[in-house]
């Protein structure tokens, strides 16, 4: 069985996630009630120019990560799947774990990462703590 197309789909997903503004948009949506926010709110949080934000939202929409609905003049974006919020929690836990490893200049970045707004569900700290506990248990 040829699994190459599946890896391409996954690679395309990660490409769509491959920009800080897009990650920030997704984190805002993940933390919002019903995983939904108006474009005006996304622009306020990201501080992106309207045309740039529109392009980032289009990339996320083409990748199937978000959906859009129009109500009058307002456009609202929503996470296409709740699993996207879980992916962000795991990514944040990975970030904290990587920064905790103590690379050069990591202390300041680790402090900044810990100050990021909370994501729904399991917190990154909880995921990170569980990861470290599992690692310690497997070494014993």
């Amino acid at each position: 069985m040829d699994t190459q197309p599946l890896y391409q789909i996954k690679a395309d997903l990660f490409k769509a996630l491959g920009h800080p503004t897009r990650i920030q948009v997704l984190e805002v949506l993940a933390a919002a009630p019903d995983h939904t926010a108006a474009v005006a709110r996304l622009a306020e949080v990201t501080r992106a120019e309207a045309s740039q934000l529109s392009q980032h939202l289009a990339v996320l929409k083409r990748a199937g990560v978000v959906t859009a609905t129009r109500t009058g003049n307002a456009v609202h974006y929503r996470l296409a799947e709740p699993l996207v919020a879980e992916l962000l929690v795991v990514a944040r836990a990975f970030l904290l774990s990587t920064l905790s490893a103590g690379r050069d200049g990591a202390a300041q970045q680790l402090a900044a990462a810990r100050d990021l707004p909370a994501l729904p569900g399991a917190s990154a700290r909880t995921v990170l703590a569980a990861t470290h506990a599992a690692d310690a248990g497997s070494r014993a």
Side-chain angles (χ1 to χ4, degrees), residues 50-68:
S51 62
Q52 291 175 332
L53 181 59
S54 178
Q55 289 175 359
H56 288 303
L57 290 167
V59 169
L60 293 171
K61 191 174 175 184
R62 275 193 307 274
V65 179
V66 300
T67 60

Side-chain angles (χ1 to χ4, degrees), residues 16 20 28 30 33 35-36 40 50-51 62 66 70 81 99 106 112 119 126 130:
V28 170
H35 300 303
T36 303
S51 62
R62 275 193 307 274
V66 300
R70 179 179 292 277
E81 288 284 336
L99 293 173
L119 291 171
T126 304

